[in-house]
């Protein structure tokens, strides 16, 4: 069997299992899916995005990318590969396809940087592991919930050895897993992936999330990359370490003659990420829940700032220099679609390199003083407005994708506005 998977707008894996004998036909003609898969909510409702319901729910076709074929360690006799989505009528990539969007941005790299450059990305993702618990409103509670096991390994914070099993499974999957540890809160884990060119990094981050969720299901558990799944606990981050190499493989962010070791190109890239940060929030913090992760003393950024080896800044410059010179964008949360997160980050730094703005002075000290820097959007609605108004960034992302994404996400806000939450009932029902 071959499992052909591709990301929807949320970054969830959609796909189909096919018999090996059907693979040549799938590669030639593609596998047909309803285009509305890109417009479908997590609960299965279809959002009226242009080209879906209004067009009679037409097809898209998904063609397997056999260069990504990989055996599944947890499914004997099954290999999976990524698929590329296209319009069967035109042969062009589907406008909502996240993998195609990232490719379009990367094709602009040489034009915007005025030379051949390759964006290199190292993804860092966090998640919570949950146990079934019918006594809770959600039906789930935190696994191994003892507190205080910050940045630890072993059975103290992981009594059933989940992390070791997961690391071994992911190593067999060949997606560049390096290491993992228990994170800040009970039941929270971080697993690091190696750096590579931007498309490969996004492919691996996408497969990583799908694999972690699938292996957790096999244990009867839930792995969630939701930005902030529990009150009283921290959130799940999705940090991107980004650098650029030239045609000779040299790191163009490095400059040994500069006082801080950063080149002019690196400074312009920093300024570009800061300038477009409000719009980037829509892509890197893409849910209503995302904005409950932000705030003072959360180690999640809420101000638009940068600093040298400063984890309280939105954009941290790690201390390595030379070939290791890079920018760590700490804005994103783990609910972000890896392709959209990487595409947005690369687009913003390319715009900075093209336009050559200079960044403000770097943050000194602890970065949660409200008057020290402009604030990031505080809600999904504000982030979507910022994305819509950022003509330079949306010009690089493409009008069709931007319109579809804004329509889809604004529908999410409208559905939330109409939903009565448990908090509202608890707050008002007994007294009012």
């Amino acid at each position: 069997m071959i499992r052909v998977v591709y990301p929807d707008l949320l970054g969830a894996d959609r796909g189909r299992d096919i018999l090996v004998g059907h693979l040549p036909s799938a590669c030639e003609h593609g596998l047909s899916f309803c285009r509305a898969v890109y417009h479908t909510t997590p609960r299965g409702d279809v959002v009226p995005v242009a080209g879906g319901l209004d067009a009679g729910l037409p097809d898209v076709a998904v063609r397997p990318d056999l260069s990504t074929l990989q055996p599944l360690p947890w499914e004997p006799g099954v290999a999976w590969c990524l698929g590329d989505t296209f319009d069967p009528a035109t042969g062009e990539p589907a406008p909502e396809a996240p993998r195609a969007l990232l490719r379009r941005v990367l094709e602009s790299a040489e034009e915007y940087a005025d030379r051949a450059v390759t964006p290199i990305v190292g993804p860092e993702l966090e998640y919570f592991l949950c146990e079934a618990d019918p006594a809770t409103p959600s039906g789930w509670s935190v696994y191994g919930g003892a507190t205080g096991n910050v940045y630890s390994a072993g059975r103290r914070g992981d009594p059933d050895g989940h992390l070791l099993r997961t690391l071994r499974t992911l190593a067999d999957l060949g997606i560049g897993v390096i290491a993992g540890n228990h994170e800040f809160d009970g039941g929270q884990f971080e697993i690091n992936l190696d750096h590579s060119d931007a498309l490969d990094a996004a492919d691996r981050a996408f497969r990583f999330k799908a694999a972690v969720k699938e292996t957790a299901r096999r244990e009867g558990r839930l792995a969630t990359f939701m930005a902030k799944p529990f009150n009283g606990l921290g959130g799940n981050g999705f940090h991107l370490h980004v650098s650029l190499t030239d045609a000779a493989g040299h790191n163009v962010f490095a400059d040994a003659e500069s006082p801080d070791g950063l080149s002019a190109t690196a400074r312009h890239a920093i300024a570009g990420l800061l300038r477009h940060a409000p719009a980037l929030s829509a892509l890197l913090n893409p849910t209503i829940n995302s904005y409950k992760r932000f705030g003072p003393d959360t180690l999640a950024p809420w101000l638009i700032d940068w600093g040298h080896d400063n984890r309280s800044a939105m954009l941290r410059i790690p201390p390595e220099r030379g070939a290791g010179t890079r920018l760590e964008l700490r804005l994103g949360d783990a609910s972000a679609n890896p392709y959209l997160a990487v595409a947005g980050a690369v687009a913003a730094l390319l715009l900075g390199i093209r336009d050559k703005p200079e960044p403000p002075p770097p943050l000194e000290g602890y970065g949660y003083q409200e008057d020290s820097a402009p604030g990031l959007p505080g809600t999904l609605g504000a982030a979507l407005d910022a994305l819509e108004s950022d003509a330079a960034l949306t010009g690089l992302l493409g009008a069709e994708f931007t319109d579809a994404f804004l329509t889809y996400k604004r529908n999410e806000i409208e559905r939330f506005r109409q939903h009565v939450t448990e908090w509202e009932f608890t707050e008002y029902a007994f007294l009012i």
Side-chain angles (χ1 to χ4, degrees):
M1 303 295 293
I2 305 295
R3 180 166 298 166
V4 182
V5 299
Y6 60 98
D8 66 7
L9 277 180
L10 294 168
D13 55 307
R14 309 284 180 170
R16 183 172 298 158
D17 289 336
I18 63 172
L19 295 167
V20 171
H22 186 64
L23 186 59
S25 174
C27 291
E28 182 178 357
H29 304 292
L31 302 168
S32 294
F33 289 85
C34 179
R35 182 179 172 183
V37 71
Y38 287 119
H39 316 151
T40 303
T41 74
R43 298 192 181 193
D45 299 315
V46 178
V47 178
V49 175
L53 284 171
D54 64 327
L57 299 172
D59 270 352
V60 291
V62 177
R63 184 175 289 123
D65 178 355
L66 296 185
S67 70
T68 67
L69 195 66
Q70 182 72 31
L72 279 180
W74 60 87
E75 294 278 13
V78 179
W80 72 345
C81 70
L82 301 177
D84 288 312
T85 312
F86 62 95
D87 182 339
T90 65
E92 295 297 315
E96 301 97 333
R99 201 167 186 241
L101 169 68
L102 177 54
R103 280 202 181 100
R104 288 198 302 272
V105 170
L106 295 174
E107 287 167 0
S108 303
E110 183 171 352
E111 173 191 351
Y112 280 66
D114 201 26
R115 56 176 154 166
V117 291
T118 301
I120 304 296
V121 176
E124 289 182 358
L125 282 146
E126 298 167 347
Y127 65 94
F128 276 96
L129 188 66
C130 307
E131 301 269 23
D133 185 354
T136 64
S138 67
W140 298 92
S141 60
V142 175
Y143 156 81
T147 58
N149 297 308
V150 180
Y151 303 143
S152 65
R155 300 296 173 120
R156 281 185 305 160
D158 183 10
D160 190 40
H162 160 81
L163 182 61
L164 287 177
R165 282 196 307 278
T166 303
L167 285 171
R168 289 179 175 127
T169 297
L170 295 175
D172 290 342
L173 194 57
I175 57 172
V177 169
I178 301 172
N181 58 268
H182 188 280
E183 246 295 330
F184 204 89
D185 285 298
Q188 188 181 38
F189 299 91
E190 177 179 273
I191 294 178
N192 304 126
L193 303 176
D194 200 0
H195 61 275
S196 65
D197 69 85
L199 180 61
D200 180 68
D203 283 344
R204 292 184 297 108
F206 167 67
R207 299 176 95 158
F208 166 78
K209 292 179 71 174
V212 167
K213 288 184 283 189
E214 191 72 359
T215 53
R217 290 184 190 108
R218 286 170 56 84
E219 298 177 3
R221 297 181 169 123
L222 170 70
T224 180
F225 292 86
M226 184 177 170
K228 188 175 172 64
F230 298 103
N231 289 314
L233 298 179
N236 288 321
F238 182 7
H239 301 163
L240 296 173
H241 291 252
V242 185
S243 60
L244 285 181
T245 58
D246 62 18
H250 298 137
N251 189 326
V252 302
F253 285 169
D255 182 356
E257 304 301 318
S258 170
D260 61 3
L262 298 177
S263 67
T265 300
R267 292 197 307 274
H268 300 324
I270 291 168
L273 286 163
L274 297 178
R275 174 180 287 183
H276 298 284
L280 285 180
S281 296
L283 301 175
L284 278 81
N285 311 111
T287 71
I288 289 166
N289 176 260
S290 294
Y291 297 85
K292 297 180 180 180
R293 171 177 164 264
F294 290 156
D297 303 318
T298 60
L299 289 181
W302 67 312
L303 301 176
I304 302 172
D305 51 13
W306 73 286
H308 291 287
D309 198 14
N310 192 327
R311 283 180 169 80
S312 63
M314 185 198 82
L315 187 61
R316 168 180 172 258
I317 313 303
E320 292 87 354
R321 290 295 182 266
T325 307
R326 63 192 187 278
L327 320 177
E328 182 192 9
L329 182 61
R330 297 173 61 82
L331 173 62
D333 68 67
S335 69
N337 182 325
Y339 296 97
L340 304 189
V342 173
V346 171
L349 70 84
L350 288 176
L351 289 166
I353 293 170
R354 183 195 69 179
D355 298 338
K356 297 181 171 52
E358 287 292 329
L363 170 70
E364 301 289 343
Y366 194 49
Y368 288 108
Q369 285 70 43
E370 196 166 355
D371 59 353
S372 64
L376 288 161
T379 65
L380 177 59
L384 295 174
D385 290 344
L387 176 62
E388 185 174 30
S389 64
D390 192 328
L393 188 68
T394 58
L396 193 44
L397 298 177
E400 281 190 283
F401 164 78
T402 302
D403 290 345
F405 184 81
L406 291 172
T407 300
Y408 182 84
K409 282 294 169 180
R410 283 176 171 149
N411 177 271
E412 180 178 329
I413 295 171
E414 189 56 36
R415 286 184 287 115
F416 181 73
R417 283 177 180 154
Q418 296 172 5
H419 180 73
V420 178
T421 66
E422 180 191 357
W423 182 92
E424 291 168 280
F425 189 90
T426 303
E427 184 79 2
Y428 304 125
F430 299 97
L431 184 63
I432 295 176

